[in-house]
Amino acid sequence: MKIAVEGCAHGELDKIYETIQYIEKKENTKVDLLLICGDFQAVRYESDMKCMAVPKKFQKMNSFYKYYNGEKVTPVLTIIIGGNHEASNYMQELPYGGWLAPNIYYLGYASIVQFGGVRIGGLSGIYKGQDFYRGHYEHPPYTEETKRSVYHVRNLEFFRMKQIKRHVDIMLSHDWPRGIHKYGDLRDLLRKKKFLENDIETNTLGSPPAEELLHLLQPTYWFSAHLHVKFSAIVPHRTESGEFKSKTKFLSLDKCLPRRDFLQILDIPHRKPLKLQLDPEWLAVLKSTNHLLNLHRSNCYMPGPGTDERYDFTATDEDIQNIIDDFGGDLTIPENFVQSENVSDIHINEQTTLLCDMLDLTDPNRVLNNMDSSFNSNSNISMQNITDTVHSECSSSEEDNVHTSYLKNVSEKSPDPTSPQDHIPQAEVNNESTIETTELLESINSSGSSSNTSKRSNTSLVSPGENKKFKRRNLNIYYDSKDSIS
């Protein structure tokens, strides 16, 4: 299958999709999937711009809202991660991932999905050491501080990714893994971005946790953005005895502007029909580590060797099969996108509620919006100082209803009749064909082409029960009465 990779989108969806359509027409080919490496800027309403940490001159509606409200149709399945310039109020509705618009899927804080059997993982945000060990305490309305800290990655998501033992084909991150410059053309990078020289000399360019994941997961591809420059590298992986084991092809791309290398198309073999599915190993890890979630501002460290607490959450074959069985054998992601209301406060997204009920996960947004007076009085907290979360508990009959609801929303559309390929091209990332964006954008601007693909079916979500009561369990794990949100 052909996968298009985009660096920073910065809200320029029209330009990106028009570029892809131009390539398809010129090369007589079809792009099956678009991956966007952050700074997506899913701005639906003018109020969303107040939740983005960008200078006022860059606060623009751009074009996402057209795909959100149905004015335009997304021409190719798009998978995205978040960066450091996002409408965070909307992103936070989907902490575990979900549809931002029809055919545009967000990977949440971190997750793994499958498309055509290809495992695609992603980590949203950027690394900042002062926030790495904190919980996800931020929520709208944001302060100037939380508007920025909300997109800083947390140790929980990296801890979960480190539990993954089965091969991941593609990883996405916004900022680069630290040390990646050692494996590419450093001279060319400094020629383009000389201001990076000090960070390179002090080995502070990039994310240390992402560096650890790169060498642990050893994916076939790792795509990033953030620094607005094209940079490719080949990272070799070796066994403990020093023998060559595998390699990761790293590629970072620019932002969507004329005469910039912002888009690249790769040919990657797939193993199954081209449909988007949840990944059972990731879901098993997510479920088994739910108790580690914290929503307070103080530091919280993940368990490790030397403690009495369990620290290995590797998913067994039985764990994975249980997840598959729970979903009735079909992990296809339902097309259950529903537009959110234009609100300035916390909003519950039904996609998150449904997945949480399926896996018995904590949905912070649902908790914050469903606290009764007895819960507040017992916990001595208010909506101005909420740092608490709870688990949902339901009877077996309720669980059956939840499972039925999820499966009912799976699209009945037949999979594309595509054949799997037997091998992957051995060409290095740096030798893959790069799109000449100057010619493309000039041609697009002169032709004024637009997306005209037929609209995908969109089934409505069946609510998993309006009367479900949430009970407090393991409250001390999540709530510290001394914490406050500033």
Side-chain angles (χ1 to χ4, degrees):
M1 64 179 172
K2 293 195 179 297
I3 297 180
V5 183
E6 161 70 32
C8 297
H10 289 291
E12 298 289 357
L13 277 185
D14 279 350
K15 288 286 193 296
I16 294 168
Y17 289 139
E18 289 165 6
T19 301
I20 290 174
Q21 290 175 328
Y22 177 86
I23 295 165
E24 291 178 327
K25 183 177 181 180
K26 183 178 180 181
E27 303 294 333
N28 191 27
T29 188
K30 177 64 179 175
V31 172
D32 301 296
L33 176 67
L34 169 64
L35 304 176
I36 297 180
C37 299
D39 284 354
F40 182 75
Q41 297 183 4
V43 176
R44 307 156 297 167
Y45 313 106
E46 288 188 4
S47 58
D48 289 340
M49 291 187 283
K50 298 177 182 178
C51 300
M52 288 199 304
V54 298
K56 193 165 185 178
K57 65 178 180 179
F58 293 122
Q59 292 182 3
K60 301 177 182 178
M61 289 295 294
N62 291 315
S63 54
F64 169 76
Y65 74 93
K66 301 175 186 176
Y67 301 90
Y68 175 81
N69 64 25
E71 180 181 336
K72 286 192 171 184
V73 177
T74 308
V76 58
L77 175 64
T78 303
I79 296 176
I80 77 150
I81 58 170
N84 58 312
H85 299 302
E86 304 291 359
S88 297
N89 58 322
Y90 188 27
M91 297 294 207
Q92 278 203 288
E93 293 182 18
L94 300 165
Y96 306 113
W99 300 107
L100 292 173
N103 225 17
I104 300 177
Y105 191 85
Y106 168 53
L107 290 178
Y109 291 134
S111 66
I112 298 174
V113 295
Q114 296 186 26
F115 183 65
V118 175
R119 301 185 77 200
I120 302 170
L123 294 158
S124 292
I126 61 172
Y127 172 79
K128 289 292 182 182
Q130 71 268 23
D131 292 318
F132 183 65
Y133 296 101
R134 290 177 175 172
H136 291 289
Y137 69 95
E138 304 91 345
H139 63 78
Y142 302 111
T143 65
E144 285 302 310
E145 177 189 357
T146 60
K147 187 191 299 185
R148 288 160 177 81
S149 64
V150 67
Y151 57 71
H152 294 161
V153 298
R154 305 298 154 92
N155 62 342
L156 173 60
E157 279 69 47
F158 281 89
F159 180 80
R160 285 170 166 166
M161 276 290 177
K162 287 164 66 175
Q163 311 305 312
I164 298 299
K165 298 299 185 287
R166 292 154 182 83
H167 182 67
V168 177
D169 298 289
I170 298 172
M171 276 295 296
L172 308 177
S173 68
H174 188 58
D175 50 356
W176 297 10
R178 186 182 64 179
I180 196 69
H181 63 273
K182 302 173 185 176
Y183 303 97
D185 190 340
L186 179 57
R187 180 178 298 179
D188 184 60
L189 175 62
L190 289 176
R191 181 181 61 82
K192 298 174 183 176
K193 300 285 184 179
K194 186 170 177 57
F195 65 88
L196 297 176
E197 187 171 8
N198 182 65
D199 287 345
I200 289 173
E201 289 178 353
T202 57
N203 198 30
T204 55
L205 177 64
S207 164
E211 177 187 22
E212 183 181 0
L213 274 185
L214 169 64
H215 295 287
L216 181 65
L217 298 180
Q218 302 178 11
T220 305
Y221 294 92
W222 189 299
F223 302 130
S224 297
H226 191 45
L227 296 181
H228 298 168
V229 62
K230 182 189 176 185
F231 179 77
S232 60
I234 303 295
V235 183
H237 304 292
R238 302 186 182 279
T239 63
E240 292 182 1
S241 60
E243 297 179 358
F244 177 80
K245 178 182 178 183
S246 64
K247 63 186 175 184
T248 296
K249 301 176 183 181
F250 174 83
L251 177 65
S252 179
L253 292 167
D254 209 330
K255 60 181 175 180
C256 182
L257 286 175
R259 294 177 291 278
R260 300 288 189 92
D261 295 319
F262 66 84
L263 187 73
Q264 186 150 328
I265 295 182
L266 307 173
D267 197 2
I268 296 178
H270 59 283
R271 297 176 283 274
K272 296 180 180 179
L274 297 181
K275 56 182 178 179
L276 187 62
Q277 296 181 304
L278 299 170
D279 184 84
E281 183 186 15
W282 174 254
L283 296 183
V285 170
L286 202 60
K287 184 173 184 176
S288 65
T289 58
N290 183 62
H291 65 286
L292 297 176
L293 175 68
N294 86 84
L295 299 177
H296 54 81
R297 185 176 181 175
S298 59
N299 288 349
C300 182
Y301 300 93
M302 295 297 106
T307 66
D308 295 332
E309 192 175 354
R310 177 186 175 186
Y311 61 87
D312 185 354
F313 295 89
T314 301
T316 65
D317 291 341
E318 182 181 2
D319 293 333
I320 292 175
Q321 188 58 51
N322 287 339
I323 291 292
I324 295 173
D325 293 343
D326 286 345
F327 281 75
D330 191 349
L331 291 168
T332 303
I333 298 175
E335 297 177 2
N336 55 357
F337 165 75
V338 178
Q339 289 188 21
S340 300
E341 298 176 12
N342 183 8
V343 295
S344 59
D345 211 329
I346 304 160
H347 184 266
I348 300 170
N349 193 298
E350 292 177 323
Q351 297 179 69
T352 300
T353 300
L354 186 55
L355 183 64
C356 288
D357 288 340
M358 286 291 296
L359 297 173
D360 193 21
L361 300 178
T362 299
D363 177 359
N365 297 308
R366 186 167 183 174
V367 171
L368 297 175
N369 279 319
N370 285 276
M371 300 180 67
D372 56 32
S373 58
S374 61
F375 185 89
N376 285 336
S377 61
N378 290 339
S379 302
N380 193 29
I381 55 179
S382 67
M383 287 301 293
Q384 296 301 315
N385 185 26
I386 295 173
T387 53
D388 180 24
T389 187
V390 296
H391 287 279
S392 62
E393 295 179 348
C394 57
S395 66
S396 59
S397 61
E398 286 176 317
E399 290 177 352
D400 291 339
N401 291 335
V402 171
H403 295 183
T404 303
S405 298
Y406 194 91
L407 295 173
K408 251 178 111 174
N409 282 281
V410 175
S411 173
E412 298 297 328
K413 187 179 70 171
S414 300
D416 297 331
T418 53
S419 302
Q421 302 176 36
D422 297 324
H423 64 280
I424 185 168
Q426 294 301 311
E428 307 295 355
V429 169
N430 203 34
N431 293 330
E432 300 279 6
S433 59
T434 303
I435 305 309
E436 179 53 53
T437 57
T438 306
E439 173 191 352
L440 296 181
L441 284 177
E442 289 177 352
S443 174
I444 289 167
N445 290 333
S446 63
S447 63
S449 59
S450 62
S451 306
N452 264 329
T453 317
S454 60
K455 195 168 186 177
R456 291 167 62 102
S457 60
N458 209 12
T459 55
S460 61
L461 178 71
V462 178
S463 177
E466 296 296 333
N467 298 320
K468 179 176 292 186
K469 294 183 179 180
F470 286 76
K471 302 177 182 179
R472 284 167 288 173
R473 186 171 68 195
N474 298 332
L475 192 62
N476 60 317
I477 296 175
Y478 304 105
Y479 175 62
D480 184 344
S481 60
K482 296 179 181 178
D483 291 333
S484 62
I485 297 175
S486 63

